[in-house]
């Protein structure tokens, strides 16, 4: 028998992401940050899910949020849209019975698309990091400069850090990096290697999100049960 009903579990998880964004919010206040990447050392740590729900939590707290699909190897737009459709949101924008058409829009639109109140989605062009595209109107650098004027928060999902250059290249154009670690899955040596990689590139690590924490982990059990 599950410890929580599915509804209770969803509320618990969404509250956790609200707490996560409130932490990021205070970091923003101190460091004047607007754009972040969310990444992990290796695949399978849940970075894309963390990125999506943190963006949704920020939008529900009144921030104008742009969620950027920056993983050109495994784009997340369709998965995020399905997650959004499964949630009990008020007046989700652009979500209709013509889901396949919207899936196509997510992949091809040259402008951010409204997913639900305050939450916009954009898929970076696959060649956004190519040297011959760095000065084009669709280069990531140019896009980020444009977005800074229109959104309170920009969250970018990137490929994992180890073995690929995307996260470091994108991170160098943003205000900071959030690193996701999955408890009992992510290897310590991979984490150390990822941190070394970020340090060599002189990138701003804002903090670490420990994913897949069990309910009784740590010393906060009383507080969660009480409330």
């Amino acid at each position: 028998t599950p410890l929580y009903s599915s509804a209770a579990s969803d509320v618990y998880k969404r509250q956790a992401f609200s707490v996560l964004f409130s932490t990021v919010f205070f970091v923003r206040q101190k460091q004047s940050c607007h754009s972040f990447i969310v990444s992990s050392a290796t695949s399978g740590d849940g970075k894309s899910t963390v990125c999506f729900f943190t963006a949704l939590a920020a939008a529900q707290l009144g921030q104008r949020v742009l969620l950027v699909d920056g993983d050109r190897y495994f784009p997340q737009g369709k998965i995020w849209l399905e997650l959004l459709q499964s949630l009990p949101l008020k007046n989700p924008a652009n979500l209709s019975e013509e889901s396949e058409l919207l899936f196509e829009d997510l992949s091809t639109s040259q402008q951010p698309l409204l997913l639900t109140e305050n939450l916009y989605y954009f898929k970076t062009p696959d060649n956004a990091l190519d040297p011959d595209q760095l000065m084009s109107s669709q280069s990531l650098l140019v896009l980020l400069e444009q977005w800074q004027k229109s959104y309170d928060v920009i969250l970018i999902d990137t490929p994992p850090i180890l073995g690929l250059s995307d996260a470091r290249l994108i991170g160098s154009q943003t205000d900071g990096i959030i690193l996701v670690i999955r408890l009992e899955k992510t290897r310590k040596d991979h984490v150390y290697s990822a941190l070394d990689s970020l340090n060599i590139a002189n990138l701003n690590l804002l903090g670490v999100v420990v994913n897949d924490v069990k309910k009784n982990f740590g010393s906060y059990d009383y507080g969660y049960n009480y409330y």
Side-chain angles (χ1 to χ4, degrees):
T1 303
L3 187 60
Y4 299 109
S5 68
S6 59
S9 180
D10 286 344
V11 170
Y12 180 81
K13 291 174 184 176
R14 290 170 67 184
Q15 180 60 31
F17 285 108
S18 294
V19 172
L20 171 58
F21 175 70
S22 68
T23 303
V24 174
F25 177 83
F26 289 115
V27 171
R28 289 177 57 215
Q29 296 298 98
K30 292 179 180 179
Q31 299 189 18
S32 298
C33 296
H34 292 92
S35 58
F36 315 88
I37 74 165
V38 180
S39 193
S40 57
T42 55
S43 62
D45 292 340
K47 64 175 180 58
S48 299
T49 303
V50 168
C51 188
F52 169 78
F53 279 106
T54 304
L56 181 60
Q60 292 178 326
L61 290 171
Q63 300 289 292
R64 184 177 170 89
V65 182
L66 178 60
L67 175 62
V68 180
D69 197 349
D71 190 335
R72 55 179 166 167
Y73 307 100
F74 296 100
Q76 297 295 307
K78 186 173 182 178
I79 296 172
W80 287 340
L81 185 59
E82 290 173 346
L83 278 173
L84 198 61
Q85 290 173 318
S86 70
L87 298 173
L89 300 176
K90 295 180 180 179
N91 303 319
N94 285 345
L95 302 183
S96 67
E97 295 179 359
E98 300 173 344
S99 295
E100 289 302 322
L101 293 177
L102 185 51
F103 290 153
E104 184 67 21
D105 289 343
L106 290 178
S107 300
T108 61
S109 176
Q110 296 186 1
Q111 298 295 328
L113 295 174
L114 180 65
L115 293 183
T116 189
E117 186 176 8
N118 293 326
L119 180 60
Y120 293 78
Y121 168 92
F122 183 81
K123 181 184 181 300
T124 56
D126 290 340
N127 61 355
L129 297 178
D130 291 349
D132 60 348
Q133 292 291 323
L134 289 179
M135 297 305 294
S136 75
S137 61
Q138 286 296 296
S139 76
L140 191 60
L141 177 58
V142 173
L143 289 172
L144 281 170
E145 289 177 349
Q146 295 172 352
W147 291 335
Q148 294 277 7
K149 304 172 185 177
S150 303
Y151 299 95
D152 299 315
V153 181
I154 302 169
L155 281 167
I156 308 173
D157 178 49
T158 72
I161 294 168
L162 298 183
L164 298 167
S165 61
D166 295 56
R168 284 172 293 171
L169 289 173
I170 298 173
S172 68
Q173 305 300 325
T174 67
D175 298 317
I177 296 173
I178 298 172
L179 183 67
V180 178
I181 295 173
R182 192 173 201 131
L183 203 65
E184 300 181 356
K185 187 270 179 188
T186 311
R187 288 172 44 174
K188 290 182 180 180
D189 59 326
H190 288 168
V191 175
Y192 294 143
S193 295
L195 293 175
D196 286 343
S197 179
L198 299 179
N199 187 49
I200 290 171
N202 196 30
L203 299 181
N204 182 23
L205 179 64
L206 298 173
V208 173
V209 174
V210 181
N211 191 22
D212 203 17
V213 175
K214 303 301 184 286
K215 176 176 177 288
N216 293 325
F217 181 82
S219 59
Y220 299 99
D221 186 52
Y222 171 77
Y224 285 139
N225 278 329
Y226 182 81
Y227 288 108

